[in-house]
Each structure stands twice: as C-alpha cells, then as structure tokens.
Amino acid sequence: MPTIDEETPLKNGTYAIVDNDDDDDDSRDYAPLGQRIQDTIKMYWTLGFVAFGGNAAHIAIFQDHLVRVHGWIAEDQYLELFALCQGLPGPTSTLLLIGTAATHGGMLGGSIAFLMWTLPGFVVCTIASLYLYDVIDPSHPPIWLVGAAPAAVALIFKAFFGFGKTLDDLGVAIVMVSLCVSVLINNDEHIPANSSQLVYPMLLIGGGSLTLFDCYSSRPIGTYERSSSDESVEKTRADRKLAYKIGMDIYHGIFMFLLWIGILVGSIVLVQHGFTNVYLEIFELCFRVGSLVFGGGVVIVPMLQNEVVPKWMNEDQFFQGLALAQSLPGPFFNFAGFLGGAYAGFWGAVVASIGLMGPGFILIFAMLPFWINIRRHAWFKAIIKGLNASAIGLIGGSCVFLYAKSVKDAADAIVFVICGALTSFYSLGAPQTIATGSLLGAVFACFSLGQVPYN
C-alpha cells in the first residue's frame, strides 16, 4: 500500500509517496518454513529429470532456471556460491544446487532439493547395476538422448558468455589463463588425467590471491565495488533476510566441519584396524574419494577405476556403468549407485552414493554460515572476483572439449546451433532447450539425416 515518506521532503514542500512493495517482499522472505519448503519443491523438482550434459551444463541450466527465468536468487549471490563450491570437494553443480535451495529453505530445503536432484539418476543406475544387460546397451544410447548432449553444450556456451560479460580487464586475463590450462591438462599425453585434482584448486587459489593483492595495490588493474553508507545499510538488511532463511549460525558451520573430519578419520581408522564389513568398506572408499575430488564430473573416474577394478567389477562393467551415468540427467556422482549396486546389491548402491556425495553435502552446509557473515567485506569480495574468474575459465575449457565430444556430425551441429539460438535470442528456458534438442536429435536419427561422423 502507498504511504507518505516523511523523511523524504520534495522541493515543493510536499513529501514523497512510497509504494511499500518491500513489505510484500518481506512477508515472502520471512514466510513460515513450511511455505518456503513448498516453494523449494516447486522450483527444483524438475531439474533431476531434464539437466543433462554434466557438471558445466548443470551450472548453466541452474543459472538460467534460478536466476534469469524465476529470479529465485540474485545473480551476485549465485556467482559467489558458484565460486565457493568450486573450492569444495564433491560435485560442484550438486553443491551449488544445495546452496541455492538453502538460501530459501535452510538445511531442510537444501536436503530436499538434493534428494529430488539425485533420485531419478540414482534409481536408473541402481537398477542397471542389478540387471545390467537387460536395461540398456551403452554403446547405442536411446534415441531420445541423441540430441541432449549438443543442446546441453549450447547452454554451456551461453553461460560462459553471460558470465564473461560481467568481468573487468583483470578478470578476463584470469579467465584466459584458467581456460588454457584446463584445456591443456585435459588433452595432453604428458599430463596425467588426475592432475586436475591439484591444478584446479591451484587455479582458484591463484585467481583469488591475485585479485586480493590487486584490490589493495596503489594502482589496481581490476575494478572493485565501493559501497556507500546507504547501500551498506540495505545490504545488511538483505543479509539478515538471507541469514533468517538459511537458519544456521557459525556454530552450526563448525559442527558440520567437525562432523566431516570425524566421519573421514573414523571410517579410515576402522578399515585400517581390520573391521571387516562390506558396507563399511564401500562407505570408507567412497567417502575418502569424495573428500579428495574437486570440481566433480569425470575427474573422479581415474580415482574410482584404480580403487574398484578389478575387485568390485571388471573393466568392461566399469565403463558400461560410466557410459550409462553420463547419459542420464542429474549428477554424474550417481555413478556410485552403479558401482555399489554391482558389488553389494541395493544397499551397496545406497551406501556408495551416501559415501561419495556425503563430503560435499556436509561441507556446503559448513560453509554457508561463514559465507553469510563475510560476504560484504571488501577483502572477501576481492577474493571472490578472482575465484569466480578462474571458475569461469574452467567453464570455458569445458566448452572446448565438450563441444568436441558432443558434436560429432552435422545433425549434432544443427542441434547445437538451433538450441543455442533459441536459448540466447528467444529466451527459451533450459528444460525446454534440452527437450527441443532431444526432439531434433531423434528426428535426425530416425530419418538418418546428417549422421556421417566428421572424423
């Protein structure tokens, strides 16, 4: 309802009329937890069925769905969470999904979004592990999946371009370095496949350190936000809303961090002291690997292969499960369900999935209370600029090698171009873009159009 703002006199001696839309926003922001959980379910339930394409594609889909289309989270908050999740072990896109959901529904909302996100792929991978040769031939994916990959890559290109437009000169330079390094380590015979475990964190730390140093230098290259007192008051108010909705304080964060350390150390000690239990063995292996993997996605493959082949399965089974997990929507870490199910049945699949995703799940909730309290400090903003630029460079690297892997013939190229144009110029949402790509790919495959491989 419009009211008189007696603190804002106009030149003619009257007062400003203010429309109290913020009151309505406050009522929504401070809604009961039950209402916020319902809103979270409505926002996230479809993503586990339509988010194909892997880690980088998921981040692009979330940005489109949550920021551009629905305004669920502010873009600066999304980018901050994206940069922070890159620095945590586990699947980055899954951690980002949990974090964005928690900004409205707290730990409960984040947990529910996580379950909805992982459940569809987990069910398929688990069933496949139990009835491997009756479900799917991984060398011949279903026809409705043929166009999903190039459509997902089109979304990645769009996200990379959109993120890049926000950068200053120093940020662009960091992106170029990060992009070139990520491309190099993913396609060089002299560099081990698992080197990204060391290189990716180093790129993030290097980018954050560089912008922090530049921010406090006498002649900074980059541009850094300098808030006025009025803006600072408003942002403090926004942060109070954010803290209320997340519902966790620093002590909760410390507890979650100690919980992660306790589970990691405890499970390793139990296994090393000879406690023989197949489910403990599965959990310890997956939790330990999940605590060491940064960036998620296919970087986890060589680590898991070294651990489970040939004890849990042979190499053919491993790569069949790998192909299946890559063809499904949702997190690639659902691959754990296949591995655990093939080794120890249904409960093996459950334990493996909990173990592999557990470290990231715990640590994102450990990080959120600290993020709320430091996100307005100048030094933190400077670090985030560098982390964000390095992470955007990694997305750019994904554009390079994912395009090469997903666009294999003329039909794929046409799907890529059409889907890229629809989402970039006609504002088609991410789920609709993936569905369009799947439909186009199926049509081309049915009529054998553009199916001759480029190489």
Side-chain angles (χ1 to χ4, degrees):
M1 176 183 294
T3 59
I4 296 176
D5 182 5
E6 297 183 354
E7 295 183 359
T8 312
L10 303 179
K11 291 182 179 180
N12 60 5
T14 61
Y15 294 91
I17 303 298
V18 179
D19 191 351
N20 290 335
D21 288 338
D22 287 343
D23 293 340
D24 294 334
D25 291 340
D26 287 345
S27 65
R28 288 192 294 268
D29 289 333
Y30 292 102
L33 178 60
Q35 179 61 50
R36 288 184 280 124
I37 294 299
Q38 291 181 29
D39 294 340
T40 301
I41 293 173
K42 292 177 183 178
M43 185 61 59
Y44 287 87
W45 77 269
T46 59
L47 292 176
F49 296 95
V50 300
F52 293 89
N55 201 52
H58 299 160
I59 293 167
I61 291 170
F62 297 165
Q63 192 263 351
D64 191 77
H65 181 70
L66 300 176
V67 179
R68 186 181 68 84
V69 176
H70 295 285
W72 176 260
I73 184 172
E75 187 167 20
D76 64 328
Q77 295 177 359
Y78 181 85
L79 290 175
E80 288 174 15
L81 284 173
F82 166 56
L84 290 175
C85 290
Q86 286 277 357
L88 295 176
T92 300
S93 60
T94 300
L95 304 187
L96 184 59
L97 175 132
I98 295 171
T100 56
T103 61
H104 283 256
M107 191 170 183
L108 178 60
S111 301
I112 292 174
F114 167 76
L115 289 175
M116 292 189 295
W117 167 242
T118 58
L119 195 58
F122 168 79
V123 170
V124 175
C125 281
T126 301
I127 292 175
S129 70
L130 301 176
Y131 309 101
L132 181 61
Y133 299 106
D134 298 329
V135 178
I136 185 175
D137 180 1
S139 62
H140 297 86
I143 193 171
W144 54 272
L145 285 178
V146 172
V153 173
L155 288 170
I156 302 174
F157 272 81
K158 176 191 174 185
F160 176 62
F161 178 72
F163 288 149
K165 291 192 299 183
T166 66
L167 299 172
D168 55 29
D169 291 343
L170 180 59
V172 172
I174 295 173
V175 166
M176 289 191 294
V177 173
S178 179
L179 189 157
C180 293
V181 171
S182 66
V183 170
L184 180 63
I185 66 174
N186 278 279
N187 192 30
D188 189 280
E189 60 181 1
H190 304 294
I191 300 176
N194 61 354
S195 61
S196 60
Q197 295 305 297
L198 176 63
V199 175
Y200 283 4
M202 288 178 61
L203 288 172
L204 296 170
I205 293 171
S209 300
L210 183 59
T211 49
L212 177 63
F213 175 80
D214 182 62
C215 177
Y216 289 99
S217 66
S218 58
R219 299 179 63 182
I221 301 173
T223 56
Y224 302 92
E225 182 180 350
R226 308 294 182 186
S227 299
S228 67
S229 59
D230 291 339
E231 289 174 335
S232 297
V233 169
E234 180 59 30
K235 288 176 180 178
T236 301
R237 182 185 179 206
D239 287 343
R240 285 199 298 268
K241 294 179 182 179
L242 189 61
Y244 171 80
K245 290 187 288 185
I246 291 178
M248 301 176 68
D249 58 27
I250 295 296
Y251 296 106
H252 289 102
I254 294 173
F255 171 77
M256 297 300 288
F257 179 77
L258 294 176
L259 177 64
W260 168 66
I261 291 291
I263 294 175
L264 178 62
V265 174
S267 60
I268 293 175
V269 169
L270 287 175
V271 170
Q272 289 184 344
H273 281 73
F275 284 83
T276 55
N277 181 287
V278 64
Y279 298 120
L280 176 61
E281 174 194 352
I282 294 172
F283 180 82
E284 183 274 334
L285 186 155
C286 292
F287 199 89
R288 171 167 45 83
V289 171
S291 297
L292 298 174
V293 173
F294 291 85
V298 295
V299 297
I300 201 173
V301 172
M303 297 181 68
L304 287 174
Q305 185 179 5
N306 292 336
E307 295 280 358
V308 306
V309 177
K311 184 175 181 181
W312 292 15
M313 62 187 62
N314 61 43
E315 195 168 72
D316 288 340
Q317 290 175 310
F318 181 87
F319 284 106
Q320 287 167 353
L322 175 64
L324 176 62
Q326 289 179 310
S327 72
L328 295 173
F332 175 72
F333 273 39
N334 277 328
F335 185 32
F338 179 89
L339 299 178
Y343 183 52
F346 172 76
W347 290 111
V350 173
V351 172
S353 296
I354 292 174
L356 196 62
M357 297 189 188
F361 178 85
I362 294 172
L363 288 173
I364 185 64
F365 289 118
M367 178 271 294
L368 285 175
F370 294 94
W371 170 62
I372 297 170
N373 284 276
I374 64 176
R375 65 183 300 262
R376 295 302 178 191
H377 292 278
W379 60 267
F380 179 74
K381 294 178 184 178
I383 292 174
I384 285 297
K385 283 181 70 72
L387 287 174
N388 186 50
S390 296
I392 291 172
L394 298 179
I395 291 181
S398 299
C399 289
V400 174
F401 50 81
L402 288 180
Y403 180 88
K405 291 181 179 179
S406 62
V407 179
K408 301 176 181 178
D409 50 42
D412 291 336
I414 294 172
V415 171
F416 172 81
V417 171
I418 292 177
C419 289
L422 289 176
T423 187
S424 299
F425 299 104
Y426 295 94
S427 301
L428 192 68
Q432 293 83 0
T433 300
I434 297 295
T436 301
S438 298
L439 177 61
L440 289 173
V443 170
F444 284 123
C446 281
F447 293 95
S448 299
L449 297 174
Q451 300 299 303
V452 178
Y454 285 133
N455 295 319

